[in-house]
């Protein structure tokens, strides 16, 4: 039997890598975790989810202060934002969370943590900081980075990505954001609320191109009302430096070119897997255009080498990476043939209002030929939303012809939290009738989940057929009031 230095080696200390290292070490596997950055936590902790949501919270509060009059409060005269203070708070929050992702903690769990550069020598052996290290099983969890497309002139201009955005020393006066996906849209609203003049350039005809058009358009209207300018369906022809400003030339149609200028340029045009420098070819690992190719058990072309998280090009979410980490532990440590199942994987764009989804939206269901039933309930009919001045948006429940759930989308206040009820319902196989008959505290936003489900059953329960049956058996007398115009209204 071959002898290896470790039972399992993990390359990358982000969400997937930390999950695997923690699980494997606590199960008794001799575990090595390697990270190229000076600290664990990955892109999410240092340059992504945590700093962006911290920034969004500061922007939300600043915006609320300016809206005080809406809530019957005195008008507040706010001074301009000192972005350096926001940046400091971002780093403070990162530091608090970093304590849970320290090398010392993982050492206490039983995993050895090494920092530095690593590349494969063969399928079992790597070079780590000039030293040879072997493992019976390897897992690549190196994540992804902001994609930088070959736009003419972009390589000659100083631009920002998510790695630079949260450590700015001052608030930019103006910003052009290339990309209308989740990162671009979240940052557009946040910086606009803080006082930056923001323009968003999108290659698709709608923002958040994977979402239903009606939900995306409603969110876009909210951001536009707050001052964000959109250029959608645009071809980016060139980027240049004009004095101290960045200039972006767009083509909106064959006869219309637009030149945008701003102090700052943010590139948010997707992600690319971090595979360069790993020498994966030396290990016999196949890499596709979107990342490392894996099977449903997250095994690569070499069955003892796994790839989890953004690097495999699947669902680029931190929670997806954590889920995939658990799949790897099942296969690599327990040797149980567990496969990924993304049917009920939720996600959320953290704008205000938030847009959260699970399962299929109407667009995907129609594309699959399912002819979906769509039930909807507006937040304008939710008392708690009205109390909080958050009546925009709605929930959509997508059903197939048998009235079985296909998915849910929520555009509204705290949608990312509200979708949790559907995570439990759909993963647990809970009947919609159970959800519709459940009792919620009043007034809460969560009542909207009950109401949209009730919309499926109400037409059946209160139908003319049921009324006739009850009248026949129990001699009910029918309506007690008719509207003045003679119409029967519910």
């Amino acid at each position: 039997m071959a002898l290896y230095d470790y039972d399992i080696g993990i390359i990358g200390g982000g969400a997937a890598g930390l999950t695997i290292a923690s699980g494997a070490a606590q199960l008794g596997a001799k575990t090595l975790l390697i990270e190229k950055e000076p600290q664990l936590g990955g892109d999410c902790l240092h340059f992504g989810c945590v700093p962006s949501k911290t920034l969004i919270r500061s922007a939300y509060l600043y915006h609320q202060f300016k809206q005080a009059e809406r809530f019957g409060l005195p008008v507040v005269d706010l001074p301009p934002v000192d972005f350096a203070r926001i940046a400091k708070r971002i780093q403070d929050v990162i530091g608090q969370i970093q304590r849970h992702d320290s090398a010392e903690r993982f050492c206490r769990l039983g995993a050895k943590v090494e920092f530095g550069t690593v590349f494969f020598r063969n399928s079992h052996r790597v070079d780590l900081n000039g030293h040879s290290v072997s493992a019976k099983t390897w897992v690549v969890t190196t994540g992804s980075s902001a994609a930088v497309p070959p736009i003419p002139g972009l390589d000659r201009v100083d631009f920002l990505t998510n790695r630079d955005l949260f450590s700015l020393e001052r608030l930019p006066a103006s910003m052009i954001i290339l990309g209308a996906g989740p990162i671009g849209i979240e940052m557009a609203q946040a910086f606009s609320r803080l006082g930056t003049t923001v323009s968003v350039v999108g290659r698709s005809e709608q923002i958040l191109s994977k979402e239903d058009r009606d939900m995306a358009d409603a969110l876009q209207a909210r951001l536009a009302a707050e001052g964000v300018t959109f250029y959608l369906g645009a071809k980016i022809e060139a980027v240049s430096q004009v004095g101290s400003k960045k200039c972006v030339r767009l083509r909106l149609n064959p006869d219309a070119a637009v030149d945008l200028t701003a102090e700052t340029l943010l590139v948010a045009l997707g992600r690319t897997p971090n595979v360069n420098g790993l020498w994966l070819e030396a290990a016999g690992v196949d890499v596709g255009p979107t990342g490392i190719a894996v099977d449903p058990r997250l095994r690569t072309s070499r069955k003892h080498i796994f790839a989890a998280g953004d690097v495999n090009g699947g669902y680029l979410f931190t929670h997806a990476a954590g889920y995939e980490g658990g799949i790897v532990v099942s296969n690599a440590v327990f040797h149980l043939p567990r496969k990924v199942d993304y049917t009920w994987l939720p996600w959320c764009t953290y704008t205000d209002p938030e847009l959260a989804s699970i399962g299929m939206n109407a667009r995907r269901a129609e594309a699959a030929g399912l002819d979906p039933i769509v039930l909807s309930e507006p937040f304008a009919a939710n008392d708690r939303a009205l109390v909080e001045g958050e009546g925009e948006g709605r929930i959509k429940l997508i059903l197939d012809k048998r009235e079985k759930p296909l998915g849910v989308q929520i555009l509204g206040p705290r949608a990312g939290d509200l979708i949790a009820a559907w995570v439990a319902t759909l993963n647990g196989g809970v009947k919609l009738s159970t959800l519709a008959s459940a009792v919620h505290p009043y007034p809460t936003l969560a009542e909207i989940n009950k109401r949209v489900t009730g919309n499926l059953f109400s037409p059946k329960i209160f139908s003319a057929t049921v009324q006739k049956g009850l009248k026949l058996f129990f001699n009910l007398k029918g309506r007690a009031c008719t509207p003045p115009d003679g119409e029967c209204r519910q």
Side-chain angles (χ1 to χ4, degrees):
M1 177 180 291
L3 297 177
Y4 302 104
D5 299 321
Y6 295 91
D7 296 314
I8 186 169
I10 304 145
I11 303 175
L18 295 178
T19 299
I20 298 164
S22 174
Q26 292 182 88
L27 289 169
K30 188 177 181 182
T31 303
L32 172 66
L33 175 61
I34 304 170
E35 171 56 47
K36 69 174 182 178
E37 300 288 348
Q39 292 178 310
L40 299 176
D43 196 81
C44 174
L45 175 57
H46 298 285
F47 311 111
C49 318
V50 171
S52 66
K53 304 314 169 274
T54 308
L55 173 66
I56 287 169
R57 182 60 177 173
S58 294
Y60 173 81
L61 291 174
Y62 190 70
H63 180 73
Q64 289 296 95
F65 293 154
K66 291 190 292 185
Q67 302 292 312
E69 193 174 13
R70 287 182 56 218
F71 299 93
L73 299 173
V75 176
V76 179
D77 185 15
L78 292 172
V81 166
D82 180 355
F83 195 83
R85 296 182 65 183
I86 295 177
K88 181 182 182 304
R89 179 173 183 269
I90 289 172
Q91 293 305 313
D92 289 344
V93 173
I94 291 173
Q96 292 177 51
I97 298 174
Q98 177 69 56
R99 299 184 193 126
H100 303 293
D101 296 337
S102 66
E104 292 76 18
R105 173 176 176 266
F106 278 84
C107 183
R108 289 193 294 271
L109 295 176
K112 183 176 183 180
V113 178
E114 294 278 6
F115 296 95
T117 57
V118 61
F119 59 86
F120 281 94
R121 287 294 191 185
N122 57 48
S123 65
H124 285 284
R125 189 168 294 276
V126 302
D127 183 291
L128 172 60
N129 296 328
H131 301 285
S132 179
V133 178
S134 64
K136 181 179 180 181
T137 299
W138 283 100
V139 191
V140 181
T141 58
T142 48
S144 66
S145 299
V148 182
I151 300 171
L154 185 59
D155 59 343
R156 298 189 296 274
V157 170
D158 290 332
F159 60 87
L160 301 175
T161 68
N162 65 295
R163 286 188 68 94
D164 320 293
L165 191 60
F166 307 109
S167 56
L168 295 174
E169 295 180 355
R170 63 178 182 82
L171 183 73
S174 55
M175 177 183 292
I176 299 169
I177 300 178
L178 302 184
I183 296 174
I185 296 304
E186 287 180 357
M187 294 301 95
Q189 185 179 47
F191 274 92
S192 176
R193 286 180 162 187
L194 292 173
T196 301
T197 300
V198 178
S199 298
V200 175
V201 177
R203 294 174 290 191
S204 174
E205 294 292 340
Q206 72 169 66
I207 68 170
L208 304 175
S209 59
K210 294 182 180 180
E211 305 290 351
D212 281 346
R213 182 66 183 257
D214 59 337
M215 304 292 256
D217 285 352
L219 181 57
Q220 180 184 337
R222 171 68 174 267
L223 269 65
E226 293 183 10
V228 179
T229 303
F230 292 90
Y231 298 87
L232 303 180
K235 178 183 178 183
I236 307 170
E237 293 193 333
V239 176
S240 60
Q241 187 84 28
V242 180
S244 62
K245 300 291 185 67
K246 315 299 187 295
C247 179
V248 178
R249 167 152 288 200
L250 308 177
R251 181 69 59 178
L252 299 179
N253 62 60
D255 301 318
V258 176
D259 287 333
L260 305 179
T261 59
E263 176 186 324
T264 307
L265 177 65
L266 171 63
V267 176
L269 291 167
R271 310 285 294 177
T272 186
N274 294 329
V275 294
N276 291 338
L278 292 177
W279 290 20
L280 291 169
E281 63 276 10
V285 173
D286 294 338
V287 180
T290 61
I292 297 175
V294 294
D295 66 10
R297 293 168 61 181
L298 300 179
R299 299 175 301 180
T300 69
S301 49
R302 298 304 297 265
K303 301 307 180 186
H304 66 282
I305 301 179
F306 296 77
D310 287 13
V311 76
N312 66 29
Y315 289 85
L316 309 187
F317 306 122
T318 298
H319 52 282
Y323 164 68
E324 292 179 358
I327 297 292
V328 171
V329 171
S330 294
N331 282 279
V333 182
F334 282 106
H335 297 281
L336 298 175
R338 186 181 171 200
K339 298 180 180 180
V340 292
D341 181 358
Y342 303 110
T343 303
W344 302 124
L345 180 75
W347 64 93
C348 184
T349 300
Y350 294 92
T351 45
D352 177 22
E354 295 177 355
L355 178 52
S357 300
I358 186 171
M360 286 186 171
N361 56 23
R363 167 185 288 185
R364 288 177 57 198
E366 290 167 359
L370 295 176
D371 192 18
I373 300 168
V374 181
L375 302 178
S376 181
E377 179 75 14
F379 276 92
N382 179 273
D383 293 354
R384 182 60 179 268
L386 295 178
V387 166
E388 297 191 357
E390 299 286 357
E392 289 186 63
R394 59 192 175 119
I395 183 173
K396 289 168 59 176
L397 172 59
I398 315 301
L399 307 170
D400 64 15
K401 291 181 179 179
R402 300 171 301 165
E403 299 182 347
K404 299 297 183 183
L406 294 174
V408 177
Q409 288 77 53
I410 307 175
L411 175 66
R414 294 194 284 284
D417 293 317
L418 293 177
I419 205 73
W422 292 100
V423 172
T425 296
L426 298 173
N427 280 284
V430 177
K431 293 181 179 180
L432 292 181
S433 58
T434 302
L435 182 58
S437 61
V439 179
H440 288 71
Y442 174 88
T444 58
L445 295 172
E447 289 178 288
I448 201 167
N449 292 325
K450 173 185 173 73
R451 287 287 297 271
V452 74
T453 311
N455 290 343
L456 175 64
F457 299 102
S458 292
K460 302 173 183 179
I461 296 172
F462 303 113
S463 67
T465 301
V466 172
Q467 289 181 14
K468 290 178 181 178
L470 292 174
K471 183 176 183 180
L472 176 64
F473 286 104
F474 303 111
N475 197 30
L476 299 183
K477 294 182 171 34
R479 298 183 61 87
C481 179
T482 300
D485 59 9
E487 294 182 8
C488 292
R489 295 174 181 170
Q490 298 297 323

